[in-house]
């Protein structure tokens, strides 16, 4: 895994820091791809991900020591470069 597919996001995968989620293979896939703001030419690959920063807390639930995404979760929070550290 490299990093978040959202155009304005600089988050990269570093074990133990943030959670990254692969694009779903159901009806949500198109919504996730559009959310990335990478244009109509962007097609998510099997390794494409979006980080946890783009989802509301209601999008997740914990099961034992794992953070799982709800089956209907869609990214809704856009973070601009100026807010990134």
């Amino acid at each position: 895994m490299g990093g978040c597919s959202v155009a304005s996001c600089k988050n990269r995968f570093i074990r133990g820091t943030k959670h990254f989620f692969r694009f779903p293979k159901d009806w949500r896939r198109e919504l996730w791809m559009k959310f990335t703001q990478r244009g109509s030419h962007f097609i998510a690959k099997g390794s494409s991900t979006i980080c946890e920063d783009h989802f509301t807390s209601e999008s997740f639930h914990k099961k034992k020591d794992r953070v799982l995404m709800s089956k209907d979760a869609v990214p809704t929070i856009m973070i601009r470069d100026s807010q990134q550290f």
Side-chain angles (χ1 to χ4, degrees):
M1 263 188 250
C4 186
S5 295
V6 177
S8 62
C9 187
K10 304 282 190 222
N11 289 332
R12 298 291 171 247
F13 179 77
I14 299 171
R15 186 172 295 282
T17 57
K18 291 193 180 289
H19 293 95
F20 287 78
F21 299 92
R22 294 185 194 270
F23 281 67
K25 295 181 180 175
D26 59 16
W27 60 271
R28 298 172 297 154
R29 190 174 187 83
E30 289 293 322
L31 295 172
W32 284 41
M33 286 192 299
K34 185 179 271 190
F35 183 82
T36 65
Q37 295 187 344
R38 292 193 175 271
S40 59
H41 65 279
F42 174 74
I43 297 175
K45 298 177 185 171
S47 61
S48 298
T49 60
I50 294 183
C51 74
E52 67 183 59
D53 290 352
H54 303 287
F55 297 91
T56 63
S57 60
E58 291 82 24
S59 298
F60 308 105
H61 61 276
K62 287 191 176 193
K63 186 174 183 178
K64 297 187 181 182
D65 292 337
R66 297 192 64 176
V67 175
L68 302 175
M69 181 168 281
S70 301
K71 294 184 186 281
D72 60 348
V74 178
T76 57
I77 302 171
M78 186 57 69
I79 299 170
R80 302 287 173 215
D81 288 332
S82 61
Q83 294 177 337
Q84 302 268 322
F85 296 100

